[in-house]
Amino acid sequence: MERGGWNRGRGRGRDGGGRGGRGGHQQHQQWRGSRPGGPWDRQQQQPQGVGIVASGPPMGQVVEPASWGRSGEGSSSAAGRGGRGPAWRGGAGQLQWVGAGSPTPTAAAPPVQRPPPISPEPIPDPVVREMQSMSISENLTTPPEDSKRILPVKRPDKGGALAVRTSRLRVNHFPINFTPETVIMHYDLDVKLEVPLKNRRPVRISKADLSVVRSKLSSDDPVRFPLTKTAYDGEKNIFSAVLLPTGKFNVQVPEGEDAKGGSYVVTIKLVNELKLCKLKDYLSGYLSSIPRDILQGLDLVMKENPARNMVSVGRSFFPREPREGDDLGWGIMASRGFQHSLKPTSQGLAMCLDYSVLAFRKPFPVIDFLRERISQFDILNFQRFRAAVVEELKDLKVTVTHRKTKQKYIIKGLTSENTRRISFDEEDPEGKNPTRKVSIVDYFRVKYGKDIGYKDIPCLDLGRGNKKNYVPMEFCILVEGQRFPKEDLDRNAAIMLKNMSLVRPNDREREICSMVRSKDGPLGGGMAQNFGMEVNMNMTKVTGRIIGPPELKLGASNGKTIKVMVEREKCQWNLVGKSVVEGKSIGRWGVIDFSSSDRSRLNPDFFIPKLINRCGNLGIRMEEPLIYQCTTMSKFSRFDMLCELLESIKKEAYRICKGNLQILLCVMSRRDPGYKYLKWISETQLGIVTQCCLSTCANKANDQYLANLAIKINAKLGGSNVELNNPLPCFEGKGHVMFVGADVNHPAARNTTSPSIAAVVATMNWPAANRYVARVCPQVHRKEKILNFGDMCLELVERYAQLNNVRPDKIVIFRDGVSEGQFDMVLNEELLDLKRALQAIKYSPSITLIVAQKRHQTRFFPESARDGCSTGNVSPGTVVDTIIVHPFEFDFYLCSHFGSLGTSKPTHYHVLWDEHRFTSDQLQKLIYELCFTFARCTKPVSLVPPVYYADLVAYRGRLYYEAMVEGRFPASTSSASSSSSSSLASFDLNSFKLHAALENIMFFV
């Protein structure tokens, strides 16, 4: 339970900018190994006709700068197609559909016009020059366009073939056909009030008002501004299937429910023409850089209909009316919606849509909401519930009913006085009469004809800044679509929401298909057809391959190791009658019992002997604890008291055994925020390894629970729980290999100051490759790029050399938490930073860089019972690397775990750089087998362990930061109040530095 239960508040920045698609001709270069005898100087003869025509291992594409226009501009991608103009200019009989299964154009197709090659500019950086010398010429019918950046590696083959069996699957990808002659117009929309205010300050117009102005513009002139052929992002961008007039237009919006009313000046300017022929070229392999602007425009088109008819939350859409039975009680309801996106795949463009569930506050009148939300709420005894009301309502959005408007207001709080006692100064708008004092009761009666019913309760304060705006609660209604944190749900509601979220595969598939066909969904309203797209409403069928599980190595009772085969369906193994591969002796350990004054207090006479015995059976020799101290949970929750307690434990241990404790077991009666204090104090200040557990679980002393506790303790102390019996694929020969995992943890959505936390982990043993060392570092707020990636990796490499007397010859890096739009940053900034750091010490290992993605919407559904497992999910080891994957880059989906709850989500692995010449089979088998080496459990995990561990470490860094802020430690004071631009500079990096005693062990598992 090291992580579970405590709020992670983890967000990730996933909206990084992408590479703009540039036209042009790629400059192909052969390998120029700049260091003779180095790992990049391998000369190999390639047979004639093979796609790789240069010597050396395959890796990312590197090409030189282009000098012509942005994506969608400049020359046409195909003869006779281009030019400016609307979609219909191709003429009858000239439209060509591109979609699922469309073949790559043959030599008979019209020739593709390209600009002449551009001579490469000299690049002084030796690392960049060397990486450029490693580019690979692809055997394309037409070479890709120029780009200044290193591009992701291309697929080395046509997919893997390794399998113990295959399975027929349906995937929630819905193929899209489009006409490549279509041109979508991208316009910039600027809206301003016609009459500036007296102070002449610019007025920010709300999204709701912008939407009203855009709709009014269309209703005033529906022929020139057709609403059904335009998609609007709610701010500055309009994408249109037809030409729109440009220039300035006056729009008169009458006072009404939808807007304040007024006169607006709308300026429309054409900024780009998005030619879908460029997308066709990319899907066919003619362009190497993704035309991201075209995909963004089409994505907005697919979101237009749900945005008009549903509640939008982030990237998801939810129905306005809840289903029967989705009431969670206490003023909260569940809503079943969807999230969708467009993906370029081998079968063409596809829409990926997945089911989503969130908890929302009911859009009730405020008083009715309070009656449901607050237990025994009595409006006639309001003062008793005032604090609870403020807690429930603060920062929520409301609309008002005493006048016709849909304007949304944010609740700042409650008035200090009750309604009948509130008055204000009313000025005569014509200035003829002096200011007079008016009560709010009289004002509402005279101005709006409303008698206030509840005069003895406060009003809501809806003011902005210093401006007051008091409105009686009875005239306020909660705005729809206001999320309720799932962490704050009561137990019954949390179980209901979880059951709705974790639906079985058959139910999820049915929900997805229903949402695709919904009139409010992405295909409703005819929007896609108006932009020249047709979507197949049937899921994509693929064949999945199931990779066989590896043989494992465990310990036997005689001290030797034995070969173990995993269970067939779940691929699990048990430890009954077996032991860990290497168990650490535990002679110096202690217990702090924080549950001693609680009803569920620990029974040490039962639990401790059971734990010692279970450890012994697993080959982990454990003595009696040297220290056993009883205390209370109140000390666990207090930073200063906990710090004092842990210091006293350390001193007592030194007095007894002249050294530190190997591990300190902390028994709690409940989950508590003090967990973060414990971890920061023990791991950065005192150098004590801790293991937490709940007294309720400890008192049951279940054999499986004790085994899980034992293997976690053993891993933290440097033991080895399980190992692979055979060498990892592709690395059977000589030379050490180091696996690296990297991740960045970002603060919660509304946090604007806290630093992001970067974490890098790496293996320290070979060939077992199951012991990791971690480094954690704070960095600029919401910065996804790991700023010190090269230095952090170099520190881990040097530590590897200290432990093994040799540096690793090969490094495989797994990067977590980045979207496709951030691949360029990982390749051209983080990887370059690493190579520069390694080159500085004249060290040149071969490197492979892989991104692991879990935050995607792709799901697999077995066609029949025999294609899946007993829960209806796909079997562990299922891999898909055809049809739904990238058109030409090296990626695949792997479901490595057994899905016991809900619908399994595969991990998407995307290779960006590869100097090891992995085939699809080799890399897929390598990753799948690594998933069996995770130290905390006896089954394969869903994510490759280097990434899993990096995620744990980054979250641990987040806990460190929160502990320092809440504990009011000197290092945190400045950072807590700093701006996002200076949060890193003002932060004491040493506060995140691990204690020397923990720097080289797996304290984080």
Side-chain angles (χ1 to χ4, degrees), residues 743-851:
D743 189 21
V744 178
N745 178 288
H746 298 292
R750 293 188 178 182
N751 186 307
T752 59
T753 60
S754 298
S756 292
I757 310 295
V760 181
V761 303
T763 53
M764 291 290 129
N765 60 333
W766 179 256
N770 64 348
R771 290 177 185 157
Y772 289 74
V773 164
R775 296 295 180 262
V776 60
C777 184
Q779 59 181 40
V780 175
H781 174 80
R782 293 213 164 274
K783 184 77 170 177
E784 181 59 44
K785 175 189 173 184
I786 300 177
L787 300 179
N788 302 311
F789 186 62
D791 291 339
M792 294 174 80
C793 289
L794 184 58
E795 186 179 343
L796 292 169
V797 165
E798 297 293 20
R799 182 56 191 164
Y800 188 102
Q802 292 171 14
L803 294 173
N804 299 279
N805 296 318
V806 64
R807 289 174 180 158
D809 303 283
K810 306 174 182 70
I811 298 177
V812 179
I813 303 167
F814 292 94
R815 178 69 159 92
D816 188 23
V818 291
S819 64
E820 286 84 352
Q822 295 166 322
F823 286 179
D824 181 75
M825 173 270 294
V826 174
L827 256 178
N828 291 284
E829 297 179 42
E830 289 183 351
L831 180 60
L832 280 178
D833 184 40
L834 170 62
K835 283 189 169 287
R836 289 189 184 104
L838 300 182
Q839 191 185 64
I841 61 169
K842 294 182 170 38
Y843 167 53
S844 303
S846 52
I847 295 174
T848 291
L849 173 60
I850 305 162
V851 169

Side-chain angles (χ1 to χ4, degrees), residues 489-526:
L489 291 170
D490 65 85
R491 186 172 181 275
N492 291 334
I495 291 173
M496 283 183 64
L497 186 70
K498 183 178 180 181
N499 291 338
M500 286 184 224
S501 301
L502 300 177
V503 291
R504 296 176 70 87
N506 287 343
D507 297 329
R508 192 181 203 98
E509 183 177 8
R510 187 169 55 251
E511 290 279 1
I512 289 171
C513 291
S514 172
M515 290 165 178
V516 167
R517 292 168 171 79
S518 167
K519 64 180 179 62
D520 294 333
L523 306 185

Side-chain angles (χ1 to χ4, degrees), residues 112 202 216 225 276 433 437 513 523 539 541 547 620 648 732 736 806 851 911 1000:
V112 179
K216 187 67 167 61
F225 299 101
L276 299 199
N433 299 312
K437 207 132 192 105
C513 291
L523 306 185
M539 287 191 177
K541 292 185 177 183
I547 304 172
I620 306 165
S648 68
E732 296 91 344
H736 282 234
V806 64
V851 169
V911 185
N1000 302 309

Side-chain angles (χ1 to χ4, degrees), residues 698-741:
N699 284 335
K700 293 175 185 176
N702 174 278
D703 190 69
Q704 184 63 53
Y705 176 77
L706 293 175
N708 290 341
L709 205 58
I711 61 176
K712 285 186 70 174
I713 291 171
N714 191 52
K716 288 184 178 188
L717 298 182
S720 177
N721 294 334
V722 64
E723 295 177 7
L724 299 172
N725 191 57
N726 299 316
L728 286 164
C730 198
F731 296 134
E732 296 91 344
K734 294 181 180 179
H736 282 234
V737 182
M738 185 168 82
F739 294 100
V740 175

Side-chain angles (χ1 to χ4, degrees), residues 361-376:
R361 296 172 175 87
K362 294 179 182 177
F364 276 6
V366 166
I367 292 176
D368 291 347
F369 175 76
L370 293 175
R371 287 191 175 117
E372 273 210 31
R373 183 74 199 134
I374 300 175
S375 178
Q376 300 179 341

